[in-house]
Amino acid sequence: PEATTMLERVITAEPRHIAALNGLGVAYARAGRTKDALGTFAKILVIRPRDVQALENVGTVYLQQRAWRPAEDAFRAALVVEPRAARAHAGLGVIALQQGRRDAAIAHWQDAVTMDPRNFDALFNLGTELVNAGRFADARPHLERFVRTAPRAFYGPDIDRLRALLEGR
C-alpha cells in the first residue's frame, strides 16, 4: 500500500513517467487490483506502444487471471518488439503447458533461461517438465543450476525438493 501511494504521487506529478507507471501497475496487480493494473499498463502503451516491459506485465496479469488468449497476445506482441524478451517466452511456456503442449512449453522455457539465466521460475519449470516428460538426463543440468543459484529466501522448499530428486531420495 505504501508503494502504491508513493507511486500514485509520482504519477500525479509526472503522468508520463514510464518506470513509475510500470511500478504502479505491478503494485496494483499484486494488490489484486487487476482493472487498475491493466489500465495503468494501457497508459504506458499509449505513450510508448512498443514498451516491452508493459506488454510483458499485461501478459502476466492476464496469465494470473488464467485468461490465456489475451495473455498470449500480449506476450507475442512483446516478442515482436524484442524477440529476446525472456519473460514473454516464460509466460508463453506456462500457457503452452496449460494447453497440453509440453514440448512447446519446454522450448519457450529453454529460450527464456538462455536469454535470462536468472529467470528462476522458467528454470524450475524447464527442469521439472523435462523430468515429467521422462527426460531426466536433459533435466539434470537445469535442476542442478536451479539448486545452485536460485535464492533460498524465495525458493527454499523447491531447492530442497529438487536437491532430493537429484540425490535420488
Side-chain angles (χ1 to χ4, degrees), residues 122-159:
L123 184 59
F124 177 86
N125 290 341
L126 173 59
T128 57
E129 283 308 313
L130 284 166
V131 168
N132 291 339
R135 298 169 52 189
F136 190 80
D138 293 334
R140 179 174 281 284
H142 304 295
L143 299 175
E144 289 172 344
R145 188 165 93 205
F146 182 87
V147 166
R148 188 177 61 253
T149 62
R152 178 161 282 288
F154 294 104
Y155 297 99
D158 294 324
I159 291 169

Side-chain angles (χ1 to χ4, degrees), residues 58-137:
V58 167
T60 300
V61 169
Y62 281 125
L63 190 67
Q64 291 168 341
Q65 299 298 309
R66 302 178 64 86
W68 310 127
R69 174 53 54 198
E72 183 174 357
D73 291 345
F75 290 136
R76 291 205 182 281
L79 290 175
V80 167
V81 175
E82 175 50 66
R84 296 184 53 81
R87 284 181 49 223
H89 278 292
L92 288 171
V94 171
I95 293 166
L97 188 66
Q98 290 298 320
Q99 295 172 341
R101 300 180 297 119
R102 179 182 283 147
D103 289 342
I106 288 170
H108 279 297
W109 290 323
Q110 285 173 326
D111 288 341
V113 299
T114 296
M115 295 165 199
D116 179 6
R118 301 195 63 83
N119 187 328
F120 297 111
D121 292 333
L123 184 59
F124 177 86
N125 290 341
L126 173 59
T128 57
E129 283 308 313
L130 284 166
V131 168
N132 291 339
R135 298 169 52 189
F136 190 80

